[in-house]
Amino acid sequence: MGSIQVRTTIPGPKSQELMRRRNAAVARGVYHATPIFVERAEGALLEDVDGNRYIDFAGGIGCQNVGHRAPRVMAAIREQIDAFLHTCFSVTPYAKYVELAEKLNSLTPGKFSKKSILVNSGAEAIENSVKIARCYTHRPALICFEDAFHGRTMLTMSLTSKTHPYKAGFEPFATDIYRVPYAYCYRCSYSMKYPECNVFCAHHLEDTFKRVVAAESVAAVVVEPVLGEGGFVAPPPEFFTVLQEICRRHQILLIADEVQTGFGRTGAMFACERYGLVPDILVSAKSIAGGLPLAAVRGRAEIMDAPDIGGLGGTFGGNPVSCAAGLAAIETLERENLTARAEVLGQRFDARAREWKTHFPLIGDVRGLGAMRAIEMVRSQDRREPAKDETEQVLRYCHEHGLILISSGSYGNVLRVLVPLAVTDEQFEEGLNVFEAGLTSVADSRVEAAPGRA
Ligand SMILES: Cc1ncc(COP(=O)(O)O)c(C=O)c1O
């Protein structure tokens, strides 16, 4: 596959026909960021059923850090499917699960003995991390954050912040969950300014223990090192230093949700490393297995061993094909030094986006870590009113011009980049050019629509 190629109006006729059938057959609650049906994918490119080709800045929402159909991953999958597909690790175990657990333990921050379990999805992994934390601490409560996203199951939805579409209508939620502000400096919940605030939001947790929930009732703080669905907010490092100190002081476990930040995305294998954060439990999913469903929970051995035999697991958890793909995906990240590549891509995006910010008043904030980068769109710089419609217009322009781009943020006004780290320099530049053209087109249409214009 070459690069962008737009052959039809987008969506093309075959995608439109499939969307008609999809609407009749699939529940509407399952959302699509684009109206395009995919036929094939390779590296950082996608081709749709109408023969249009796109540069993929979404990577299946951050699952393709090694690129679509990465050669080592494909070879490992082929080898495994020729051996066996499923026996259930809880019936007849197999080596690949153990090898992957060993590898994940060795990559996880912290100079202590670690153990892992493998499950199927990010939400299932977070659920398990909470089960383990409660079992170990014999405490019920959880602290989570504004703008957090942890999944769509009952417990993880309860930990998630954004109301629509994730929570509204699905009440009642799980109990013993307490939400506090994250270090979202652009929209500080305390209306303070960094660095003068001295990360008041993190210190304020001590106050929460006096006024909201007793520290000795709290099993764990569940935190994303960089907000994913919440808008790619990368806190100042002191936020995590203080959070970690407070957790240690009260024997509260720190669970890092690295579902979106993991496997090279932020310029390190895990974002915790960028912050010097050593979580008690680290949760992974998405890019762990090069595009196959797999997730992992690992942490201090004594914590992970708290549940009794049979208390953890599941029929498909740590499926052998996913484990083989996971080992190959990690090997690819290491051999191709994709964490360093993430930093380079992130810096290129940052330089370009800061330039855009100087001439597009629609851009309120440019932020992120490594190759987890975003811009937050606002109607005006001073009032910071979220520009959701304009964000959607940019997305539509990009889709129609060969770039798969997605949004995030509690206000739906953040354009985020989760490009496969295997993207070539040319493809990345081409994608950024479409992104810029999308911003220009929306900025121009706003000028034309301004009052007093003919
Ligand atoms: C930070 C984070 N945690 C958890 C999840 C849930 O993962 P999954 O969709 O695999 O259940 C996501 C998914 O986007 C996520 O970004």
Side-chain angles (χ1 to χ4, degrees):
M1 284 207 259
S3 70
I4 290 175
Q5 170 179 281
V6 179
R7 286 189 162 153
T8 67
T9 55
I10 289 174
K14 289 185 182 166
S15 277
Q16 289 183 37
E17 173 53 19
L18 279 165
M19 192 58 85
R20 268 192 292 277
R21 286 171 51 197
R22 174 261 179 261
N23 288 338
V26 181
R28 71 187 180 118
V30 184
Y31 169 77
H32 308 290
T34 76
I36 297 150
F37 280 76
V38 174
E39 179 90 349
R40 69 186 91 245
E42 194 81 49
L45 293 173
L46 293 178
E47 193 171 305
D48 76 10
V49 286
D50 293 286
N52 299 303
R53 218 160 38 222
Y54 309 81
I55 291 174
D56 182 10
F57 271 24
I61 321 188
C63 298
Q64 295 290 356
N65 288 359
V66 293
H68 294 278
R69 303 181 74 250
R72 282 188 193 84
V73 173
M74 296 306 290
I77 291 172
R78 284 192 193 102
E79 194 180 314
Q80 184 57 45
I81 63 176
D82 283 341
F84 63 97
L85 290 184
H86 173 75
T87 61
C88 186
F89 191 69
S90 296
V91 179
T92 47
Y94 36 86
K96 288 269 179 337
Y97 187 120
V98 180
E99 278 172 42
L100 184 56
E102 288 168 348
K103 186 69 192 175
L104 290 169
N105 294 341
S106 75
L107 290 173
T108 304
K111 292 192 183 77
F112 41 79
S113 155
K114 295 165 205 125
K115 288 194 176 183
S116 290
I117 62 161
L118 302 177
V119 291
N120 301 291
S121 70
E124 192 187 349
I126 294 288
E127 292 263 352
N128 275 283
S129 71
V130 170
K131 275 172 67 173
I132 295 164
R134 284 178 166 162
C135 191
Y136 178 77
T137 58
H138 303 290
R139 298 172 175 187
L142 302 169
I143 301 279
C144 60
F145 291 87
E146 288 175 2
D147 303 301
F149 183 88
H150 298 291
R152 287 180 163 90
T153 58
M154 189 52 70
L155 178 67
T156 59
M157 170 181 68
S158 306
L159 289 166
T160 289
S161 178
K162 189 173 176 174
T163 56
H164 294 84
Y166 301 132
K167 299 175 82 166
F170 298 124
E171 302 88 346
F173 304 124
T175 55
D176 266 317
I177 290 175
Y178 303 90
R179 191 173 309 283
V180 296
Y182 193 76
Y184 186 174
C185 300
Y186 184 67
R187 296 188 186 278
C188 176
S189 294
Y190 298 108
S191 301
M192 292 186 174
K193 277 217 167 6
Y194 178 79
E196 298 83 57
C197 66
N198 188 27
V199 287
F200 176 83
C201 50
H203 288 289
H204 200 63
L205 200 51
E206 289 286 11
D207 194 66
T208 303
F209 295 149
K210 296 194 177 75
R211 296 162 74 192
V212 182
V213 57
E216 63 271 24
S217 299
V218 178
V221 168
V222 185
V223 66
E224 293 162 89
V226 179
L227 291 181
E229 303 305 297
F232 281 28
V233 176
E238 310 91 286
F239 177 70
F240 290 110
T241 315
V242 174
L243 207 60
Q244 187 160 265
E245 272 169 23
I246 294 178
C247 285
R248 299 262 153 88
R249 197 176 308 141
H250 297 285
Q251 288 97 50
I252 294 169
L253 302 185
L254 207 150
I255 300 177
D257 178 346
E258 290 241 26
V259 168
Q260 197 157 155
T261 49
F263 296 98
R265 174 55 50 191
T266 66
M269 194 57 92
F270 298 105
C272 284
E273 297 166 58
R274 301 269 337 226
Y275 284 113
L277 180 63
V278 181
D280 300 291
I281 298 180
L282 193 151
V283 176
S284 292
K286 288 199 186 280
S287 267
I288 187 172
L292 288 197
L294 185 70
V297 184
R298 64 255 193 230
R300 291 177 187 273
E302 69 274 19
I303 297 173
M304 295 298 294
D305 272 340
D308 212 344
I309 295 170
L312 302 175
T315 306
F316 278 116
N319 171 271
V321 186
S322 297
C323 288
L327 285 161
I330 295 171
E331 189 187 339
T332 303
L333 284 164
E334 288 181 334
R335 289 214 186 187
E336 296 180 14
N337 203 7
L338 291 179
T339 53
R341 177 74 178 149
E343 190 56 23
V344 170
L345 294 171
Q347 279 171 14
R348 278 193 202 154
F349 178 83
D350 193 64
R352 192 84 180 257
R354 287 193 190 282
E355 170 69 26
W356 295 340
K357 190 170 184 286
T358 61
H359 49 263
F360 295 122
L362 267 171
I363 299 181
D365 197 23
V366 174
R367 58 178 180 246
L369 191 65
M372 190 168 178
R373 295 278 165 178
I375 57 176
E376 176 157 355
M377 304 272 283
V378 290
R379 293 238 160 88
S380 79
Q381 296 282 344
D382 38 337
R383 282 180 296 111
R384 301 188 176 183
E385 186 193 340
K388 184 171 191 291
D389 293 346
E390 291 81 351
T391 303
E392 281 167 10
Q393 287 162 22
V394 175
L395 288 175
R396 203 170 318 121
Y397 179 97
C398 290
H399 302 159
E400 288 169 0
H401 292 81
L403 177 68
I404 304 292
L405 189 65
I406 53 175
S407 63
S408 64
S410 291
Y411 307 100
N413 66 326
V414 178
L415 292 161
R416 59 170 152 170
V417 173
L418 284 167
V419 66
L421 306 176
V423 69
T424 66
D425 285 344
E426 296 73 31
Q427 290 164 346
F428 191 55
E429 284 307 308
E430 205 178 345
L432 291 178
N433 292 343
V434 177
F435 199 151
E436 181 176 319
L439 290 165
T440 307
S441 130
V442 174
D444 289 351
S445 67
R446 271 164 60 93
V447 172
E448 274 161 29
R453 296 283 300 212

